[in-house]
Amino acid sequence: MMIDTTILNAPIVKERLANLDMLLSQRQADPERTDFVNNHIHTIYSFSPYSPTSAAYHAWQNGLATAGIMDHDSTSGAKEFLQAGKAIGISVTNGFECRCGMQGTPFEAVRLNNPDQIGVAYVACHGIPYQSIDKANMWLAPYRKNRDSRNRKMVDRLNALCTAKSMKLDYEQDVLPLSRAQEGGSVTERHILYALARKAITLAGKGNVMVALLKQQYNIDATGKTLDILLDHMDPNYDYRLLGVFKSHLVEKFYIDATDECPHIHDFITFVKSIGAISAYAYLGDVGNSVTGDKKAQVFEDAFLNALIAWLKQNGMNAVTYMPARNTDAQLKRIIRLCREQDLFQICGEDINTPFQSFICKQLAQPEFHHLADAAWALIGHEQLASKDLDDGMFSEKTIHAFPLLSDRIAHFAKAARDMKG
């Protein structure tokens, strides 16, 4: 029997969770479990086709052992995700992703892991204790507001790129309704581009007419893979594919540097520590011949990675998060070695924000990445224990005194999580 999972994206949280209960009551068998983990799943509270309930359900359906919510500048979906995970019986964790300014550091004038801007780094807050979720969202609220102001200016710049009135976006009518801004969600560049994709499809449909429209209005010459995407009338995810085309060809033309919406890196580290969570730098690595085939060649942190990782450790960052499917073997071996040398916790997660991405990172089946599964369980153990008492978190003074070696702490918290799972 085909299960309609679209009901998990109902407009109201209460309805989504009720629909989840209904689907679970109808299931004939649980999906086969694996040892795969993913700590970087976006939801509708940033940009994604999945509500928190839907994200947890699809993580479970794909056999994940653990899953983590990771929205931009928001924890508004965290409680729903945790409730859904509990109902399903999958171990989950919560956090948020944001960008930080690196002013006054050795990295203020270099490109770190942000394709669009130098001196700004993507970072993640993992394992937020339950009593700190609302505090985190309140801390993020002013940054969301500042981002909204920049979004409006970027829409104006995007509109100036085209002459067709029918292609111009209205921020209030076209962009905001695609988000959950009214519920404390963030609005990102992807929302703007998705609104543009929907408008283009309404105007031109698919195929050669779309090719002509993009050339005429945005001077996009569709060749190779881009042309294949635009001509594929049968792709059920055509709107998301077109978003990707716009992301590759238009962002640099209308992007405005983020400033006030980015907390300083020191403020981020201090805040994350104060709420008992785990701070992590998101390693990207230089892109040559893209491993995933969807990234343009660009230089990021690799030329100064040794200095960066050492600086992060010295300045209180707890962890590094990375996505094994996006890097070469040499890059992965290097980041693993540097993390071990600096005693930094390693977290993995594949960025999920489109319907055609796999929740499973197959690289995790390789022996050299087995430690990342233990890390995911340790992250869950940390979150659950710190939710009872912040002093029992993985990086509290009390815990570090009891388990000075990071490896011992990981083993302790992973065991605690698996024991609580039963």
Side-chain angles (χ1 to χ4, degrees):
M1 181 179 66
M2 183 68 70
I3 294 178
D4 179 15
T5 60
T6 61
I7 62 174
L8 300 180
N9 279 337
I12 301 171
V13 174
K14 195 172 184 180
E15 187 179 352
R16 294 196 288 265
L17 291 169
N19 289 341
L20 173 64
D21 288 339
M22 181 180 68
L23 288 186
L24 293 174
S25 70
Q26 294 173 353
R27 72 186 187 275
Q28 297 179 349
D30 288 350
E32 183 179 348
R33 301 266 57 83
T34 72
D35 291 326
F36 292 112
V37 298
N38 191 341
N39 296 296
H40 203 112
I41 302 171
H42 290 284
T43 78
I44 56 175
Y45 289 94
S46 50
F47 184 84
S48 171
Y50 305 107
S51 72
T53 298
S54 180
Y57 181 84
H58 281 85
W60 173 71
Q61 278 289 94
N62 280 273
L64 286 181
T66 76
I69 188 173
M70 185 58 52
D71 281 322
H72 289 282
D73 304 329
S74 176
T75 62
S76 294
K79 292 180 181 179
E80 178 188 347
F81 188 76
L82 294 169
Q83 283 182 263
K86 184 176 181 180
I88 294 167
I90 182 174
S91 295
V92 297
T93 184
N94 84 96
F96 67 82
E97 181 177 14
C98 70
R99 293 154 302 159
C100 285
M102 302 294 286
Q103 309 94 308
T105 77
F107 311 101
E108 63 182 349
V110 296
R111 188 175 304 283
L112 292 119
N113 55 6
N114 190 329
D116 303 313
Q117 189 173 342
I118 64 171
V120 171
Y122 278 98
V123 294
C125 171
H126 282 279
I128 303 175
Y130 308 151
Q131 67 271 36
S132 297
I133 291 173
D134 290 340
K135 187 175 182 180
N137 220 18
M138 289 177 61
W139 185 76
L140 291 165
Y143 299 115
R144 289 197 298 271
K145 183 178 179 180
N146 291 338
R147 185 169 194 166
D148 186 72
S149 298
R150 185 176 67 97
N151 285 338
R152 294 171 186 273
K153 295 175 183 177
M154 288 196 295
V155 166
D156 290 341
R157 290 187 66 171
L158 177 59
N159 285 337
L161 296 176
C162 68
T163 58
K165 186 177 180 180
S166 56
M167 282 299 295
K168 296 183 185 293
L169 297 176
D170 182 290
Y171 189 74
E172 296 286 341
Q173 295 182 16
D174 297 321
V175 180
L176 277 183
L178 300 178
S179 75
R180 289 296 189 277
Q182 72 279 11
E183 300 171 36
S186 63
V187 184
T188 71
E189 286 85 359
R190 288 181 184 271
H191 289 94
I192 296 171
L193 295 174
Y194 191 58
L196 185 66
R198 286 163 57 110
K199 185 154 289 223
I201 293 169
T202 299
L203 183 65
K206 304 174 184 179
N208 287 317
V209 180
M210 180 66 75
V211 174
L213 175 70
L214 299 195
K215 174 61 178 176
Q216 180 187 45
Q217 293 299 317
Y218 301 107
N219 198 30
I220 296 175
D221 288 311
T223 59
K225 186 176 180 180
T226 297
L227 182 60
D228 292 339
I229 289 171
L230 299 180
L231 295 180
D232 189 353
H233 290 258
M234 303 304 294
D235 188 346
N237 300 309
Y238 191 91
D239 49 356
Y240 284 91
R241 304 285 188 187
L242 183 56
L243 182 162
V245 171
F246 286 145
K247 191 171 187 296
S248 297
H249 292 86
L250 291 183
V251 170
E252 62 185 18
K253 297 180 181 180
F254 71 83
Y255 185 83
I256 296 172
D257 280 355
T259 53
D260 295 342
E261 69 202 63
C262 301
H264 192 275
I265 186 68
H266 291 310
D267 293 336
F268 168 79
I269 293 171
T270 299
F271 175 73
V272 172
K273 182 178 180 179
S274 75
I275 63 171
I278 295 173
S279 57
Y281 174 83
Y283 170 68
L284 182 58
D286 297 355
V287 177
N289 293 322
S290 174
V291 174
T292 54
D294 63 348
K295 301 290 184 296
K296 66 180 181 180
Q298 196 169 7
V299 173
F300 295 102
E301 324 100 309
D302 284 347
F304 51 88
L305 188 61
N306 289 32
L308 174 62
I309 297 299
W311 185 91
L312 292 170
K313 175 65 177 182
Q314 292 164 7
N315 285 271
M317 191 72 79
N318 303 132
V320 171
T321 178
Y322 53 91
M323 304 179 187
R326 291 194 176 186
N327 296 113
T328 65
D329 288 343
Q331 287 174 318
L332 292 167
K333 288 178 181 177
R334 185 183 181 197
I335 192 64
I336 290 171
R337 175 178 57 80
L338 290 174
C339 285
R340 286 174 175 163
E341 289 176 357
Q342 293 294 337
D343 212 28
L344 285 167
F345 187 39
Q346 296 175 54
I347 304 171
C348 77
E350 296 297 322
D351 200 337
I352 302 296
N353 51 37
T354 61
F356 49 79
Q357 289 173 283
S358 172
F359 279 69
I360 297 291
C361 173
K362 294 183 179 178
Q363 280 84 347
L364 296 185
Q366 300 172 17
E368 58 266 38
F369 300 122
H370 284 180
H371 66 287
L372 294 173
D374 285 335
W377 282 107
L379 186 59
I380 288 169
H382 152 83
E383 187 175 306
Q384 292 177 343
L385 292 176
S387 293
K388 298 175 182 177
D389 187 335
L390 294 187
D391 284 339
D392 289 332
M394 186 184 295
F395 291 93
S396 71
E397 291 182 9
K398 173 186 172 183
T399 301
I400 292 174
H401 179 75
F403 302 97
L405 294 179
L406 177 60
S407 58
D408 290 342
R409 264 177 280 150
I410 293 171
H412 168 74
F413 284 94
K415 182 179 185 302
R418 288 183 168 115
D419 288 347
M420 284 185 274
K421 173 72 174 174

